[in-house]
Amino acid sequence: SIVYVSHAPGSDQNDIYLQRVGGENATNLTPTNKGDDWAPAFSPDGQWIAYRADGESQGIYIMGATGESARRVADFGFSPAWSPDGKELLVASEGVASPLQRVTRSALWRINVTSGQKKQIKINPDDIVQPSWSPHGQRIAFWGLPTGTGKRVLYTVPVEGGDATPLTDDNSFNWNPVWSLDGKD
């Protein structure tokens, strides 16, 4: 199955849809949320979907893979990314509509999906968006805006935080990093 965001004809909002590969009918998993839903991400075992919900009850939610039992795990956050063991989510404090229009700073948070416990991860540089957890669980890839440069730089950092290692240092608009399946390439 695949999960995606769609603004269906006749709808006034973005919802999360599930479609079986080869299937003909997509299922709206978030029809009752009165606001836009964004950035769905399957858990590593395929049993859960994390996503960002806007509206009165905004934040990061998880729900069963077919839309059941949705619950909010944080009242903030964007771009949820699952830990390899499925026990935690990474989120940025800021969302990204366009990498060209972004000028503010964003922090990185870890959220335990069972307890809801949140912990900010301190990183240098202090700007992180669109986090991606490595398959081996030891590093995080992200992009940020180094102060005063105007560049969009890709980085990796240990999960515990600290000094980030730049992967790019050019004038391109680098954004939205994703790990290879083995975490090496």
mmCIF file of all heavy atoms in Angstrom, residues 123-176:
data_model
loop_
_atom_site.group_PDB
_atom_site.id
_atom_site.type_symbol
_atom_site.label_atom_id
_atom_site.label_comp_id
_atom_site.label_asym_id
_atom_site.label_seq_id
_atom_site.Cartn_x
_atom_site.Cartn_y
_atom_site.Cartn_z
ATOM 1 N N ILE A 123 21.646 20.771 18.438
ATOM 2 C CA ILE A 123 22.497 20.554 17.270
ATOM 3 C C ILE A 123 23.171 21.854 16.881
ATOM 4 O O ILE A 123 22.587 22.928 16.995
ATOM 5 C CB ILE A 123 21.646 20.017 16.088
ATOM 6 C CG1 ILE A 123 21.119 18.630 16.432
ATOM 7 C CG2 ILE A 123 22.440 19.982 14.803
ATOM 8 C CD1 ILE A 123 20.211 18.056 15.396
ATOM 9 N N ASN A 124 24.405 21.732 16.421
ATOM 10 C CA ASN A 124 25.119 22.863 15.862
ATOM 11 C C ASN A 124 25.397 22.559 14.389
ATOM 12 O O ASN A 124 26.073 21.576 14.114
ATOM 13 C CB ASN A 124 26.433 23.086 16.614
ATOM 14 C CG ASN A 124 27.213 24.243 16.056
ATOM 15 O OD1 ASN A 124 26.635 25.189 15.558
ATOM 16 N ND2 ASN A 124 28.527 24.160 16.117
ATOM 17 N N PRO A 125 24.862 23.304 13.423
ATOM 18 C CA PRO A 125 24.138 24.560 13.557
ATOM 19 C C PRO A 125 22.740 24.347 14.122
ATOM 20 O O PRO A 125 22.220 23.244 14.108
ATOM 21 C CB PRO A 125 24.086 25.086 12.125
ATOM 22 C CG PRO A 125 24.110 23.877 11.273
ATOM 23 C CD PRO A 125 24.947 22.874 12.023
ATOM 24 N N ASP A 126 22.132 25.435 14.574
ATOM 25 C CA ASP A 126 20.873 25.364 15.303
ATOM 26 C C ASP A 126 19.633 25.454 14.413
ATOM 27 O O ASP A 126 18.594 25.925 14.846
ATOM 28 C CB ASP A 126 20.817 26.457 16.369
ATOM 29 C CG ASP A 126 20.794 27.853 15.764
ATOM 30 O OD1 ASP A 126 21.083 27.993 14.556
ATOM 31 O OD2 ASP A 126 20.483 28.799 16.503
ATOM 32 N N ASP A 127 19.702 24.978 13.206
ATOM 33 C CA ASP A 127 18.540 24.995 12.309
ATOM 34 C C ASP A 127 18.417 23.636 11.638
ATOM 35 O O ASP A 127 19.371 23.155 11.023
ATOM 36 C CB ASP A 127 18.700 26.085 11.241
ATOM 37 C CG ASP A 127 17.491 26.170 10.334
ATOM 38 O OD1 ASP A 127 16.351 26.143 10.844
ATOM 39 O OD2 ASP A 127 17.667 26.248 9.106
ATOM 40 N N ILE A 128 17.240 23.028 11.772
ATOM 41 C CA ILE A 128 17.035 21.690 11.210
ATOM 42 C C ILE A 128 15.596 21.537 10.744
ATOM 43 O O ILE A 128 14.666 21.861 11.483
ATOM 44 C CB ILE A 128 17.397 20.598 12.233
ATOM 45 C CG1 ILE A 128 17.132 19.215 11.656
ATOM 46 C CG2 ILE A 128 16.677 20.796 13.535
ATOM 47 C CD1 ILE A 128 17.717 18.105 12.474
ATOM 48 N N VAL A 129 15.432 21.086 9.515
ATOM 49 C CA VAL A 129 14.102 20.767 8.988
ATOM 50 C C VAL A 129 14.171 19.461 8.201
ATOM 51 O O VAL A 129 15.239 19.015 7.792
ATOM 52 C CB VAL A 129 13.523 21.895 8.098
ATOM 53 C CG1 VAL A 129 13.113 23.091 8.936
ATOM 54 C CG2 VAL A 129 14.488 22.318 7.027
ATOM 55 N N GLN A 130 13.011 18.851 8.013
ATOM 56 C CA GLN A 130 12.847 17.608 7.277
ATOM 57 C C GLN A 130 13.835 16.524 7.723
ATOM 58 O O GLN A 130 14.625 16.006 6.931
ATOM 59 C CB GLN A 130 12.928 17.861 5.773
ATOM 60 C CG GLN A 130 11.777 18.738 5.292
ATOM 61 C CD GLN A 130 11.826 19.030 3.814
ATOM 62 O OE1 GLN A 130 12.871 19.340 3.257
ATOM 63 N NE2 GLN A 130 10.678 18.945 3.176
ATOM 64 N N PRO A 131 13.780 16.145 9.015
ATOM 65 C CA PRO A 131 14.697 15.124 9.514
ATOM 66 C C PRO A 131 14.409 13.748 8.922
ATOM 67 O O PRO A 131 13.272 13.435 8.580
ATOM 68 C CB PRO A 131 14.443 15.127 11.017
ATOM 69 C CG PRO A 131 13.026 15.557 11.158
ATOM 70 C CD PRO A 131 12.825 16.568 10.047
ATOM 71 N N SER A 132 15.448 12.943 8.832
ATOM 72 C CA SER A 132 15.337 11.576 8.336
ATOM 73 C C SER A 132 16.253 10.692 9.173
ATOM 74 O O SER A 132 17.460 10.915 9.217
ATOM 75 C CB SER A 132 15.757 11.530 6.857
ATOM 76 O OG SER A 132 15.691 10.221 6.348
ATOM 77 N N TRP A 133 15.662 9.697 9.854
ATOM 78 C CA TRP A 133 16.412 8.812 10.748
ATOM 79 C C TRP A 133 17.099 7.738 9.920
ATOM 80 O O TRP A 133 16.490 7.117 9.056
ATOM 81 C CB TRP A 133 15.445 8.147 11.713
ATOM 82 C CG TRP A 133 15.995 7.873 13.072
ATOM 83 C CD1 TRP A 133 17.174 7.278 13.376
ATOM 84 C CD2 TRP A 133 15.371 8.182 14.319
ATOM 85 N NE1 TRP A 133 17.330 7.191 14.739
ATOM 86 C CE2 TRP A 133 16.233 7.739 15.341
ATOM 87 C CE3 TRP A 133 14.170 8.772 14.673
ATOM 88 C CZ2 TRP A 133 15.933 7.855 16.687
ATOM 89 C CZ3 TRP A 133 13.865 8.906 16.007
ATOM 90 C CH2 TRP A 133 14.745 8.457 17.005
ATOM 91 N N SER A 134 18.381 7.486 10.177
ATOM 92 C CA SER A 134 19.120 6.474 9.419
ATOM 93 C C SER A 134 18.578 5.081 9.731
ATOM 94 O O SER A 134 18.066 4.833 10.820
ATOM 95 C CB SER A 134 20.616 6.532 9.744
ATOM 96 O OG SER A 134 20.849 6.133 11.084
ATOM 97 N N PRO A 135 18.680 4.142 8.784
ATOM 98 C CA PRO A 135 18.196 2.775 9.014
ATOM 99 C C PRO A 135 18.860 2.079 10.195
ATOM 100 O O PRO A 135 18.242 1.247 10.848
ATOM 101 C CB PRO A 135 18.526 2.051 7.704
ATOM 102 C CG PRO A 135 18.592 3.119 6.681
ATOM 103 C CD PRO A 135 19.139 4.326 7.398
ATOM 104 N N HIS A 136 20.118 2.406 10.503
ATOM 105 C CA HIS A 136 20.804 1.787 11.636
ATOM 106 C C HIS A 136 20.506 2.510 12.950
ATOM 107 O O HIS A 136 20.931 2.055 14.007
ATOM 108 C CB HIS A 136 22.314 1.701 11.397
ATOM 109 C CG HIS A 136 22.943 2.985 10.942
ATOM 110 N ND1 HIS A 136 23.057 4.096 11.746
ATOM 111 C CD2 HIS A 136 23.481 3.318 9.753
ATOM 112 C CE1 HIS A 136 23.645 5.078 11.073
ATOM 113 N NE2 HIS A 136 23.918 4.624 9.856
ATOM 114 N N GLY A 137 19.784 3.649 12.888
ATOM 115 C CA GLY A 137 19.342 4.344 14.086
ATOM 116 C C GLY A 137 20.377 5.197 14.775
ATOM 117 O O GLY A 137 20.123 5.707 15.865
ATOM 118 N N GLN A 138 21.531 5.416 14.156
ATOM 119 C CA GLN A 138 22.607 6.136 14.829
ATOM 120 C C GLN A 138 22.761 7.585 14.386
ATOM 121 O O GLN A 138 23.377 8.380 15.087
ATOM 122 C CB GLN A 138 23.924 5.394 14.633
ATOM 123 C CG GLN A 138 23.890 4.018 15.245
ATOM 124 C CD GLN A 138 25.123 3.207 14.886
ATOM 125 O OE1 GLN A 138 26.017 3.673 14.188
ATOM 126 N NE2 GLN A 138 25.164 1.980 15.348
ATOM 127 N N ARG A 139 22.215 7.947 13.220
ATOM 128 C CA ARG A 139 22.381 9.314 12.705
ATOM 129 C C ARG A 139 21.062 9.846 12.164
ATOM 130 O O ARG A 139 20.146 9.088 11.845
ATOM 131 C CB ARG A 139 23.450 9.364 11.623
ATOM 132 C CG ARG A 139 24.844 9.005 12.185
ATOM 133 C CD ARG A 139 25.977 9.352 11.269
ATOM 134 N NE ARG A 139 26.216 10.782 11.093
ATOM 135 C CZ ARG A 139 26.905 11.539 11.942
ATOM 136 N NH1 ARG A 139 27.372 11.042 13.068
ATOM 137 N NH2 ARG A 139 27.123 12.809 11.681
ATOM 138 N N ILE A 140 21.033 11.157 12.052
ATOM 139 C CA ILE A 140 19.886 11.868 11.492
ATOM 140 C C ILE A 140 20.388 12.717 10.335
ATOM 141 O O ILE A 140 21.399 13.418 10.472
ATOM 142 C CB ILE A 140 19.243 12.787 12.554
ATOM 143 C CG1 ILE A 140 18.744 11.960 13.743
ATOM 144 C CG2 ILE A 140 18.120 13.615 11.942
ATOM 145 C CD1 ILE A 140 18.451 12.790 14.975
ATOM 146 N N ALA A 141 19.706 12.653 9.208
ATOM 147 C CA ALA A 141 19.991 13.557 8.090
ATOM 148 C C ALA A 141 18.941 14.670 8.135
ATOM 149 O O ALA A 141 17.798 14.448 8.542
ATOM 150 C CB ALA A 141 19.927 12.816 6.758
ATOM 151 N N PHE A 142 19.332 15.859 7.715
ATOM 152 C CA PHE A 142 18.418 17.003 7.684
ATOM 153 C C PHE A 142 19.020 18.079 6.804
ATOM 154 O O PHE A 142 20.129 17.945 6.317
ATOM 155 C CB PHE A 142 18.165 17.550 9.108
ATOM 156 C CG PHE A 142 19.378 18.138 9.766
ATOM 157 C CD1 PHE A 142 19.622 19.504 9.721
ATOM 158 C CD2 PHE A 142 20.277 17.334 10.453
ATOM 159 C CE1 PHE A 142 20.746 20.052 10.340
ATOM 160 C CE2 PHE A 142 21.397 17.863 11.075
ATOM 161 C CZ PHE A 142 21.626 19.229 11.014
ATOM 162 N N TRP A 143 18.269 19.156 6.619
ATOM 163 C CA TRP A 143 18.857 20.320 5.966
ATOM 164 C C TRP A 143 18.561 21.545 6.801
ATOM 165 O O TRP A 143 17.648 21.552 7.629
ATOM 166 C CB TRP A 143 18.403 20.484 4.523
ATOM 167 C CG TRP A 143 16.994 20.920 4.287
ATOM 168 C CD1 TRP A 143 15.891 20.113 4.222
ATOM 169 C CD2 TRP A 143 16.526 22.240 4.053
ATOM 170 N NE1 TRP A 143 14.771 20.852 3.973
ATOM 171 C CE2 TRP A 143 15.134 22.173 3.859
ATOM 172 C CE3 TRP A 143 17.135 23.491 3.986
ATOM 173 C CZ2 TRP A 143 14.347 23.294 3.604
ATOM 174 C CZ3 TRP A 143 16.351 24.604 3.738
ATOM 175 C CH2 TRP A 143 14.978 24.496 3.544
ATOM 176 N N GLY A 144 19.383 22.562 6.613
ATOM 177 C CA GLY A 144 19.214 23.794 7.369
ATOM 178 C C GLY A 144 19.862 24.959 6.658
ATOM 179 O O GLY A 144 20.513 24.797 5.629
ATOM 180 N N LEU A 145 19.651 26.126 7.247
ATOM 181 C CA LEU A 145 20.190 27.373 6.715
ATOM 182 C C LEU A 145 21.318 27.859 7.634
ATOM 183 O O LEU A 145 21.045 28.389 8.712
ATOM 184 C CB LEU A 145 19.103 28.452 6.662
ATOM 185 C CG LEU A 145 17.899 28.172 5.778
ATOM 186 C CD1 LEU A 145 16.795 29.185 6.045
ATOM 187 C CD2 LEU A 145 18.303 28.217 4.324
ATOM 188 N N PRO A 146 22.580 27.674 7.248
ATOM 189 C CA PRO A 146 23.655 28.220 8.071
ATOM 190 C C PRO A 146 23.514 29.746 8.154
ATOM 191 O O PRO A 146 23.280 30.404 7.140
ATOM 192 C CB PRO A 146 24.929 27.832 7.330
ATOM 193 C CG PRO A 146 24.533 26.703 6.442
ATOM 194 C CD PRO A 146 23.091 26.953 6.092
ATOM 195 N N THR A 147 23.628 30.292 9.333
ATOM 196 C CA THR A 147 23.439 31.723 9.552
ATOM 197 C C THR A 147 24.315 32.555 8.622
ATOM 198 O O THR A 147 25.516 32.333 8.516
ATOM 199 C CB THR A 147 23.757 32.081 11.017
ATOM 200 O OG1 THR A 147 22.930 31.285 11.860
ATOM 201 C CG2 THR A 147 23.499 33.553 11.295
ATOM 202 N N GLY A 148 23.660 33.484 7.923
ATOM 203 C CA GLY A 148 24.370 34.439 7.086
ATOM 204 C C GLY A 148 24.832 33.955 5.732
ATOM 205 O O GLY A 148 25.469 34.709 5.013
ATOM 206 N N THR A 149 24.533 32.705 5.344
ATOM 207 C CA THR A 149 25.051 32.206 4.066
ATOM 208 C C THR A 149 24.020 32.210 2.944
ATOM 209 O O THR A 149 24.379 32.295 1.785
ATOM 210 C CB THR A 149 25.571 30.764 4.198
ATOM 211 O OG1 THR A 149 24.465 29.895 4.442
ATOM 212 C CG2 THR A 149 26.604 30.646 5.294
ATOM 213 N N GLY A 150 22.738 32.051 3.262
ATOM 214 C CA GLY A 150 21.720 31.934 2.235
ATOM 215 C C GLY A 150 21.688 30.573 1.561
ATOM 216 O O GLY A 150 20.929 30.338 0.639
ATOM 217 N N LYS A 151 22.551 29.656 2.008
ATOM 218 C CA LYS A 151 22.612 28.315 1.427
ATOM 219 C C LYS A 151 21.637 27.377 2.122
ATOM 220 O O LYS A 151 21.281 27.578 3.277
ATOM 221 C CB LYS A 151 24.023 27.735 1.564
ATOM 222 C CG LYS A 151 25.070 28.475 0.775
ATOM 223 C CD LYS A 151 26.423 27.826 0.968
ATOM 224 C CE LYS A 151 27.502 28.561 0.194
ATOM 225 N NZ LYS A 151 28.806 27.917 0.353
ATOM 226 N N ARG A 152 21.241 26.331 1.430
ATOM 227 C CA ARG A 152 20.477 25.227 2.012
ATOM 228 C C ARG A 152 21.430 24.039 2.015
ATOM 229 O O ARG A 152 21.773 23.503 0.967
ATOM 230 C CB ARG A 152 19.241 24.892 1.175
ATOM 231 C CG ARG A 152 18.058 25.796 1.445
ATOM 232 C CD ARG A 152 18.163 27.059 0.628
ATOM 233 N NE ARG A 152 16.960 27.879 0.791
ATOM 234 C CZ ARG A 152 17.012 29.186 0.907
ATOM 235 N NH1 ARG A 152 18.155 29.821 0.897
ATOM 236 N NH2 ARG A 152 15.902 29.865 1.025
ATOM 237 N N VAL A 153 21.882 23.642 3.197
ATOM 238 C CA VAL A 153 22.935 22.644 3.324
ATOM 239 C C VAL A 153 22.359 21.363 3.921
ATOM 240 O O VAL A 153 21.574 21.406 4.867
ATOM 241 C CB VAL A 153 24.084 23.178 4.221
ATOM 242 C CG1 VAL A 153 25.157 22.126 4.424
ATOM 243 C CG2 VAL A 153 24.680 24.435 3.607
ATOM 244 N N LEU A 154 22.762 20.210 3.366
ATOM 245 C CA LEU A 154 22.404 18.911 3.917
ATOM 246 C C LEU A 154 23.452 18.519 4.952
ATOM 247 O O LEU A 154 24.645 18.725 4.744
ATOM 248 C CB LEU A 154 22.359 17.848 2.827
ATOM 249 C CG LEU A 154 21.379 18.064 1.674
ATOM 250 C CD1 LEU A 154 21.480 16.899 0.693
ATOM 251 C CD2 LEU A 154 19.959 18.222 2.171
ATOM 252 N N TYR A 155 22.976 17.903 6.064
ATOM 253 C CA TYR A 155 23.854 17.492 7.151
ATOM 254 C C TYR A 155 23.462 16.107 7.645
ATOM 255 O O TYR A 155 22.353 15.647 7.401
ATOM 256 C CB TYR A 155 23.694 18.414 8.374
ATOM 257 C CG TYR A 155 24.051 19.843 8.192
ATOM 258 C CD1 TYR A 155 23.089 20.776 7.825
ATOM 259 C CD2 TYR A 155 25.340 20.289 8.447
ATOM 260 C CE1 TYR A 155 23.409 22.116 7.700
ATOM 261 C CE2 TYR A 155 25.667 21.635 8.326
ATOM 262 C CZ TYR A 155 24.691 22.541 7.955
ATOM 263 O OH TYR A 155 25.016 23.868 7.832
ATOM 264 N N THR A 156 24.377 15.504 8.429
ATOM 265 C CA THR A 156 24.020 14.389 9.308
ATOM 266 C C THR A 156 24.575 14.716 10.684
ATOM 267 O O THR A 156 25.525 15.493 10.825
ATOM 268 C CB THR A 156 24.567 13.017 8.850
ATOM 269 O OG1 THR A 156 25.975 12.989 8.979
ATOM 270 C CG2 THR A 156 24.129 12.690 7.433
ATOM 271 N N VAL A 157 23.936 14.122 11.701
ATOM 272 C CA VAL A 157 24.338 14.361 13.079
ATOM 273 C C VAL A 157 24.034 13.103 13.886
ATOM 274 O O VAL A 157 23.097 12.362 13.548
ATOM 275 C CB VAL A 157 23.598 15.597 13.651
ATOM 276 C CG1 VAL A 157 22.118 15.334 13.825
ATOM 277 C CG2 VAL A 157 24.217 16.086 14.940
ATOM 278 N N PRO A 158 24.797 12.811 14.946
ATOM 279 C CA PRO A 158 24.433 11.692 15.800
ATOM 280 C C PRO A 158 23.033 11.904 16.412
ATOM 281 O O PRO A 158 22.623 13.047 16.640
ATOM 282 C CB PRO A 158 25.501 11.711 16.902
ATOM 283 C CG PRO A 158 26.661 12.424 16.301
ATOM 284 C CD PRO A 158 26.053 13.447 15.371
ATOM 285 N N VAL A 159 22.336 10.830 16.687
ATOM 286 C CA VAL A 159 20.978 10.919 17.239
ATOM 287 C C VAL A 159 20.957 11.696 18.559
ATOM 288 O O VAL A 159 19.969 12.360 18.868
ATOM 289 C CB VAL A 159 20.374 9.503 17.400
ATOM 290 C CG1 VAL A 159 19.094 9.531 18.191
ATOM 291 C CG2 VAL A 159 20.139 8.879 16.039
ATOM 292 N N GLU A 160 22.044 11.643 19.320
ATOM 293 C CA GLU A 160 22.103 12.351 20.592
ATOM 294 C C GLU A 160 22.302 13.853 20.412
ATOM 295 O O GLU A 160 22.196 14.618 21.355
ATOM 296 C CB GLU A 160 23.254 11.807 21.456
ATOM 297 C CG GLU A 160 23.123 10.343 21.800
ATOM 298 C CD GLU A 160 23.566 9.432 20.650
ATOM 299 O OE1 GLU A 160 24.411 9.834 19.816
ATOM 300 O OE2 GLU A 160 23.040 8.318 20.573
ATOM 301 N N GLY A 161 22.630 14.302 19.197
ATOM 302 C CA GLY A 161 22.877 15.710 18.931
ATOM 303 C C GLY A 161 24.356 16.011 18.868
ATOM 304 O O GLY A 161 25.193 15.119 18.812
ATOM 305 N N GLY A 162 24.685 17.289 18.854
ATOM 306 C CA GLY A 162 26.084 17.717 18.788
ATOM 307 C C GLY A 162 26.374 18.436 17.491
ATOM 308 O O GLY A 162 25.495 19.028 16.876
ATOM 309 N N ASP A 163 27.632 18.379 17.077
ATOM 310 C CA ASP A 163 28.056 19.054 15.850
ATOM 311 C C ASP A 163 27.647 18.232 14.636
ATOM 312 O O ASP A 163 27.948 17.042 14.549
ATOM 313 C CB ASP A 163 29.568 19.259 15.840
ATOM 314 C CG ASP A 163 30.012 20.291 16.853
ATOM 315 O OD1 ASP A 163 29.203 21.185 17.185
ATOM 316 O OD2 ASP A 163 31.166 20.211 17.318
ATOM 317 N N ALA A 164 26.982 18.885 13.701
ATOM 318 C CA ALA A 164 26.536 18.228 12.471
ATOM 319 C C ALA A 164 27.659 18.213 11.440
ATOM 320 O O ALA A 164 28.487 19.120 11.393
ATOM 321 C CB ALA A 164 25.326 18.946 11.906
ATOM 322 N N THR A 165 27.659 17.182 10.611
ATOM 323 C CA THR A 165 28.621 17.041 9.523
ATOM 324 C C THR A 165 27.949 17.475 8.228
ATOM 325 O O THR A 165 26.947 16.874 7.815
ATOM 326 C CB THR A 165 29.077 15.572 9.390
ATOM 327 O OG1 THR A 165 29.645 15.152 10.632
ATOM 328 C CG2 THR A 165 30.078 15.415 8.259
ATOM 329 N N PRO A 166 28.463 18.528 7.557
ATOM 330 C CA PRO A 166 27.840 18.942 6.296
ATOM 331 C C PRO A 166 28.096 17.913 5.189
ATOM 332 O O PRO A 166 29.186 17.362 5.086
ATOM 333 C CB PRO A 166 28.506 20.278 5.976
ATOM 334 C CG PRO A 166 29.736 20.331 6.805
ATOM 335 C CD PRO A 166 29.573 19.377 7.942
ATOM 336 N N LEU A 167 27.070 17.659 4.405
ATOM 337 C CA LEU A 167 27.190 16.779 3.242
ATOM 338 C C LEU A 167 27.320 17.579 1.957
ATOM 339 O O LEU A 167 27.856 17.090 0.972
ATOM 340 C CB LEU A 167 25.974 15.863 3.135
ATOM 341 C CG LEU A 167 25.720 14.937 4.320
ATOM 342 C CD1 LEU A 167 24.412 14.198 4.138
ATOM 343 C CD2 LEU A 167 26.877 13.966 4.485
ATOM 344 N N THR A 168 26.778 18.790 1.961
ATOM 345 C CA THR A 168 26.862 19.676 0.801
ATOM 346 C C THR A 168 27.326 21.047 1.290
ATOM 347 O O THR A 168 27.094 21.418 2.439
ATOM 348 C CB THR A 168 25.497 19.832 0.096
ATOM 349 O OG1 THR A 168 24.555 20.415 0.995
ATOM 350 C CG2 THR A 168 24.974 18.502 -0.420
ATOM 351 N N ASP A 169 27.967 21.771 0.409
ATOM 352 C CA ASP A 169 28.380 23.144 0.711
ATOM 353 C C ASP A 169 28.512 23.869 -0.627
ATOM 354 O O ASP A 169 29.603 24.111 -1.120
ATOM 355 C CB ASP A 169 29.705 23.179 1.475
ATOM 356 C CG ASP A 169 30.061 24.595 1.915
ATOM 357 O OD1 ASP A 169 29.162 25.474 1.918
ATOM 358 O OD2 ASP A 169 31.235 24.835 2.233
ATOM 359 N N ASP A 170 27.354 24.143 -1.201
ATOM 360 C CA ASP A 170 27.337 24.764 -2.516
ATOM 361 C C ASP A 170 26.176 25.745 -2.589
ATOM 362 O O ASP A 170 25.485 25.971 -1.610
ATOM 363 C CB ASP A 170 27.250 23.706 -3.618
ATOM 364 C CG ASP A 170 26.054 22.765 -3.441
ATOM 365 O OD1 ASP A 170 24.982 23.210 -2.988
ATOM 366 O OD2 ASP A 170 26.189 21.570 -3.760
ATOM 367 N N ASN A 171 25.951 26.305 -3.740
ATOM 368 C CA ASN A 171 24.883 27.282 -3.901
ATOM 369 C C ASN A 171 23.583 26.666 -4.397
ATOM 370 O O ASN A 171 22.644 27.380 -4.735
ATOM 371 C CB ASN A 171 25.344 28.400 -4.841
ATOM 372 C CG ASN A 171 26.408 29.251 -4.183
ATOM 373 O OD1 ASN A 171 26.321 29.537 -2.986
ATOM 374 N ND2 ASN A 171 27.415 29.637 -4.935
ATOM 375 N N SER A 172 23.513 25.332 -4.457
ATOM 376 C CA SER A 172 22.277 24.667 -4.870
ATOM 377 C C SER A 172 21.249 24.733 -3.749
ATOM 378 O O SER A 172 21.589 24.933 -2.586
ATOM 379 C CB SER A 172 22.553 23.203 -5.208
ATOM 380 O OG SER A 172 23.467 23.101 -6.268
ATOM 381 N N PHE A 173 19.995 24.539 -4.094
ATOM 382 C CA PHE A 173 18.936 24.469 -3.092
ATOM 383 C C PHE A 173 18.750 23.013 -2.704
ATOM 384 O O PHE A 173 17.892 22.314 -3.221
ATOM 385 C CB PHE A 173 17.642 25.094 -3.616
ATOM 386 C CG PHE A 173 17.746 26.572 -3.775
ATOM 387 C CD1 PHE A 173 17.764 27.141 -5.030
ATOM 388 C CD2 PHE A 173 17.868 27.390 -2.667
ATOM 389 C CE1 PHE A 173 17.885 28.514 -5.177
ATOM 390 C CE2 PHE A 173 17.990 28.759 -2.797
ATOM 391 C CZ PHE A 173 17.997 29.327 -4.064
ATOM 392 N N ASN A 174 19.577 22.536 -1.796
ATOM 393 C CA ASN A 174 19.552 21.158 -1.327
ATOM 394 C C ASN A 174 18.510 21.034 -0.216
ATOM 395 O O ASN A 174 18.517 21.823 0.722
ATOM 396 C CB ASN A 174 20.930 20.776 -0.779
ATOM 397 C CG ASN A 174 22.019 21.006 -1.797
ATOM 398 O OD1 ASN A 174 21.982 20.431 -2.882
ATOM 399 N ND2 ASN A 174 22.975 21.854 -1.488
ATOM 400 N N TRP A 175 17.657 20.008 -0.325
ATOM 401 C CA TRP A 175 16.634 19.837 0.711
ATOM 402 C C TRP A 175 16.044 18.442 0.676
ATOM 403 O O TRP A 175 16.281 17.681 -0.253
ATOM 404 C CB TRP A 175 15.557 20.904 0.607
ATOM 405 C CG TRP A 175 14.741 20.934 -0.648
ATOM 406 C CD1 TRP A 175 15.184 21.021 -1.930
ATOM 407 C CD2 TRP A 175 13.326 20.885 -0.747
ATOM 408 N NE1 TRP A 175 14.151 21.038 -2.814
ATOM 409 C CE2 TRP A 175 12.978 20.957 -2.107
ATOM 410 C CE3 TRP A 175 12.299 20.803 0.180
ATOM 411 C CZ2 TRP A 175 11.661 20.947 -2.560
ATOM 412 C CZ3 TRP A 175 10.991 20.804 -0.278
ATOM 413 C CH2 TRP A 175 10.695 20.874 -1.629
ATOM 414 N N ASN A 176 15.319 18.074 1.733
ATOM 415 C CA ASN A 176 14.573 16.829 1.876
ATOM 416 C C ASN A 176 15.442 15.568 1.708
ATOM 417 O O ASN A 176 15.188 14.738 0.852
ATOM 418 C CB ASN A 176 13.386 16.799 0.907
ATOM 419 C CG ASN A 176 12.347 15.804 1.336
ATOM 420 O OD1 ASN A 176 12.241 15.466 2.519
ATOM 421 N ND2 ASN A 176 11.584 15.299 0.390
#
